[in-house]
Amino acid sequence: MTKILFIMTAAATWTLKDGTKHPTGFWAEEAVTPYELFKQAGHEIVVATPGGVVSPVDEASLAGDNAALRDVIAKAPEFQNPIALTDVHLDDYAAVYVPGGHGPMEDLAVDPTSGALLATAVRAGTPVAVVCHGPAALLAAVDETGTNAFAGYRITAFTNEEETQAGNATQAPWLLEDRLTAAGLDVRTAAPWAPHTQTDRNLVTGQNPASSAEVAKALLAQLS
């Protein structure tokens, strides 16, 4: 059995352009779908967050008939008992996974501990997978010169078009696609809301919630 590290947000709100706080967290499907696929494949999962706090779920991701998602989040010991990012020993893990939601835009995008873990992982050849707004965490993976460890990697992420269609673009302090491109990453986009993944070396990325299962399967393929 190998261990997969989930790096997850601790942010329950997202600070908008006007300074107001918008409720957020992680997007349920993007955590639960890979969680279940990884567990079914026999892997152990450890969740780590800034400060070791329980990652808040974005209630918007549980709207409608999502009782099954809520049940997994409430009962899975991994989600309820995270460790602190500062307590992670990366050598213990075979892969790293970062789910999205707007939470990572608030904290993981600027968290030096998370960024250092991701930079170390990708440089060591450890498989890294991120989905939707999860690629915001890649922005913190910079060295002392400000160079991003993922610069030049072909990726995908939640697009400007999707953010616009979701009604958040005008209030967002910055847009993920723009910021990743400015950091030197090669962002490839597909049709809004359709499953779309990119794999470049040991980095797997997914564009949106619908891409979660494909991202998980691609990561499992790297572990096989």
Side-chain angles (χ1 to χ4, degrees):
M1 179 185 295
T2 60
K3 291 200 290 188
I4 298 175
L5 176 69
F6 274 41
I7 295 179
M8 297 182 66
T9 183
T13 59
W14 177 37
T15 306
L16 301 180
K17 188 184 299 183
D18 63 3
T20 59
K21 303 288 188 179
H22 181 73
T24 188
F26 70 89
W27 200 257
E29 179 183 358
E30 296 166 19
V32 172
T33 297
Y35 170 86
E36 293 184 322
L37 287 169
F38 297 154
K39 294 281 280 190
Q40 289 165 12
H43 298 287
E44 181 182 347
I45 292 167
V46 175
V47 173
T49 67
V53 304
V54 174
S55 186
V57 62
D58 190 325
E59 285 296 323
S61 68
L62 296 173
D65 187 21
N66 280 316
L69 292 176
R70 188 183 294 277
D71 191 56
V72 172
I73 293 165
K75 293 181 179 179
E78 296 91 344
F79 292 129
Q80 297 304 316
N81 299 284
I83 65 173
L85 287 172
T86 51
D87 291 334
V88 170
H89 299 285
L90 203 54
D91 290 344
D92 295 339
Y93 300 93
V96 181
Y97 175 70
V98 186
H102 282 108
M105 301 269 283
E106 183 76 12
D107 60 356
L108 298 183
V110 294
D111 188 287
T113 304
S114 171
L117 288 169
L118 290 167
T120 300
V122 76
R123 287 169 176 156
T126 301
V128 174
V130 293
V131 67
C132 198
H133 290 92
L138 305 183
L139 294 170
V142 295
D143 62 21
E144 61 277 1
T145 69
T147 301
N148 194 288
F150 295 90
Y153 277 76
R154 186 183 68 255
I155 71 161
T156 190
F158 200 68
T159 67
N160 291 355
E161 187 175 2
E162 286 168 322
E163 203 74 83
T164 298
Q165 291 184 12
N168 297 313
T170 58
Q171 283 297 308
W174 46 271
L175 296 177
L176 182 57
E177 181 184 341
D178 291 346
R179 189 63 68 85
L180 289 166
T181 300
L185 286 74
D186 180 11
V187 183
R188 308 288 181 92
T189 64
W193 314 112
H196 174 226
T197 64
Q198 291 284 336
T199 299
D200 187 351
R201 289 159 279 183
N202 56 319
L203 177 64
V204 179
T205 53
Q207 181 171 312
N208 46 39
S211 308
S212 299
E214 289 188 9
V215 168
K217 290 173 184 176
L219 184 63
L220 287 171
Q222 294 219 359
L223 292 173
S224 63

